[in-house]
């Protein structure tokens, strides 16, 4: 690529959430239709979405291979604030790890750990934070120091469970949860050894600067979710008392290039930082039914446009 001695070792994935898939049942389109759309648009892989939607072993590796796609990883919620709930949730983590270890990387095999699936550890929504997502944040809702110590310990336990299966996990910060603001992410990085899944959209709406945190946290970032976001929409939704779902419905996470994200600057900083691995293009879209053909057509068109916008941003950054 222009200005660099070697090609940039990244692959671009899409995600079921970008097509309105939030649950394994009742999805607005089938997995093969979605994967074919991704491949046609030029994506190299996909996030798993809800475990089971794309299938499980041995069907899932075969499905991905048939479409020529790899698996970037997938999301697993665990209740780190609840000792008993956390123990119950470990079964779901184990089920996800069964899927990820069976798949490996459908394109290049297990030989390249940069493109192994990343178990994406996250925490469930906190109702009072979900109701008032993003900035300005009510710091009284942050976990106390005593609660955080146990919380971080359980994150470390979940991360070790992933590593025992040969996979490097990443933790996903998110609006409406206990790890939302840049300060809370710093707290996470300072009290655990878990790697980070940087989500540019959620970081931006929580008051962070994606370019600055890539520079500051580069040694801990092992996966990137590229997502656009609009602080103007956030301010409007908060102004009328809306919650996180209202923000999504209002277009708080628009297609790439239609929000505030300076994508060329983000990509340039990732390249300078030495990041290698999956870049997952995500767009949090409203839930819709399969019968809503207009919403489905819009989601498909947006994800094609997002892949095109990503390529344009690479060229604008001098990386293609």
């Amino acid at each position: 690529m222009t200005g660099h001695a070697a090609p940039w070792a990244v692959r671009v994935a899409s995600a079921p959430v970008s097509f309105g898939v939030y649950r394994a049942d009742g999805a607005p389109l089938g997995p093969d239709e979605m994967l074919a759309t991704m491949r046609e648009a030029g994506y190299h892989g996909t996030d798993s979405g809800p475990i089971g939607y794309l299938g499980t072993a041995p069907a899932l590796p075969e499905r991905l291979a048939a479409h020529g796609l790899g698996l970037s990883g997938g999301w697993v919620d665990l209740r780190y604030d609840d000792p008993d709930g956390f123990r119950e949730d470990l079964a779901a983590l184990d089920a996800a790890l069964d899927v990820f270890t069976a798949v490996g990387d459908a394109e290049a095999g297990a030989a390249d750990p940069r493109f192994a699936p990343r178990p994406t550890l996250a925490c469930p929504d906190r109702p009072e934070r979900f109701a008032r997502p993003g900035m300005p944040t009510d710091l009284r809702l942050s976990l106390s120091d005593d609660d955080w110590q146990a919380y971080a310990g359980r994150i470390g336990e979940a991360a070790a469970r992933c590593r025992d299966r040969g996979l490097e996990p990443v933790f996903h910060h998110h609006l409406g949860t206990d790890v939302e603001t840049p300060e809370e992410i710093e707290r996470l990085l300072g009290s655990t050894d878990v790697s980070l899944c940087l989500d540019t959209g959620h970081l931006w709406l929580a008051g962070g600067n994606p370019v600055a945190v890539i520079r500051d946290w580069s040694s801990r970032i092992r996966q990137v979710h590229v997502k656009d976001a609009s602080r103007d929409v956030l301010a409007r939704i908060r102004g009328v008392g809306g919650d996180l779902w209202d923000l999504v419905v209002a277009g708080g996470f628009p297609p790439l290039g239609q929000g505030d994200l300076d994508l060329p600057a983000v990509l340039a900083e990732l390249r300078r930082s030495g990041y290698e691995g999956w870049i997952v293009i995500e767009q949090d879209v409203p839930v819709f039914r399969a019968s809503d053909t207009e919403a489905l057509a819009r989601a498909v068109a947006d994800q094609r446009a997002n892949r095109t916008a990503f390529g344009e941003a690479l060229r604008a950054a001098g990386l293609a």
Side-chain angles (χ1 to χ4, degrees):
M1 292 183 181
T2 303
H4 297 278
W8 191 16
V10 296
R11 297 179 192 166
V12 183
S14 186
V17 68
S18 303
F19 294 84
V21 178
Y22 290 89
R23 297 173 47 139
D25 57 336
L29 77 170
D32 286 303
E33 180 185 358
M34 185 194 68
L35 294 176
T37 299
M38 290 178 179
R39 184 64 181 177
E40 179 186 349
Y43 292 96
H44 307 125
T46 181
D47 178 88
S48 71
I51 300 300
Y53 167 67
L54 294 178
T56 55
L60 176 55
E62 295 170 358
R63 170 173 277 154
L64 291 171
H67 290 279
L69 295 171
L71 186 70
S72 62
W75 182 283
V76 185
D77 273 340
L78 295 101
R79 288 170 283 178
Y80 302 107
D81 62 328
D82 177 355
D84 294 333
F86 175 73
R87 296 295 160 204
E88 293 175 6
D89 293 344
L90 288 176
L93 175 59
D94 288 339
L97 295 176
D98 288 343
V99 170
F100 300 152
T101 54
V103 171
D105 175 38
E107 284 189 315
D112 193 338
R114 295 173 299 182
F115 301 105
R118 300 289 187 210
T120 309
L121 305 177
C123 43
D125 300 324
R126 175 78 65 183
E128 57 271 32
R129 300 191 71 160
F130 189 92
R132 298 286 288 170
M135 59 181 194
T137 304
D138 184 350
L139 298 180
R140 295 172 298 178
L141 299 178
S142 294
L143 292 172
S144 69
D145 290 341
D146 289 342
D147 289 340
W148 178 257
Q149 184 175 3
Y151 194 97
R154 294 185 191 106
I155 292 173
E157 184 176 341
R161 204 176 188 96
C162 297
R163 291 171 182 145
D164 286 345
R165 300 289 298 274
L167 296 170
E168 181 61 29
V170 288
F171 190 95
H172 191 304
H173 57 98
H174 201 279
L175 296 184
T177 73
D178 288 318
V179 184
E180 177 176 7
T181 68
E183 293 76 18
E184 288 165 338
I185 300 170
E186 288 274 14
R187 192 184 199 187
L188 169 79
L189 297 176
S191 53
T192 72
D193 67 351
V194 72
S195 300
L196 183 68
C197 175
L198 173 65
D199 186 300
T200 59
H202 283 267
L203 180 78
W204 178 251
L205 295 187
N209 181 324
V211 174
V213 303
I214 292 167
R215 184 169 56 248
D216 294 343
W217 303 338
S218 60
S219 64
R220 299 290 290 277
I221 296 172
R222 293 288 185 91
Q223 193 164 89
V224 178
H225 287 185
V226 164
K227 183 180 297 172
D228 213 335
S230 170
R231 287 183 179 174
D232 286 344
V233 175
L234 172 65
R236 175 162 55 83
I237 293 302
R238 282 184 59 113
V240 298
D243 64 12
L244 183 51
W245 275 123
D246 295 320
L247 175 67
V248 171
V249 170
F253 300 103
L256 293 180
Q258 297 184 28
D260 305 332
L261 183 68
D262 186 345
L263 184 53
V266 166
L267 296 176
E269 192 60 43
L270 283 171
R271 182 66 166 112
R272 279 193 292 269
S273 76
Y275 178 80
E276 297 176 328
W278 287 106
I279 295 179
V280 184
I281 299 175
E282 274 194 342
Q283 185 184 350
D284 294 351
V285 303
V287 176
F288 59 90
R289 297 181 181 275
S291 58
D292 190 341
T293 56
E294 182 178 344
L296 178 56
R298 182 169 56 249
V300 169
D302 282 348
Q303 302 329 305
R304 288 173 174 156
N306 280 341
R307 184 64 182 89
T308 298
F310 185 89
E312 291 171 351
L314 281 175
R315 288 188 286 276
L319 299 173

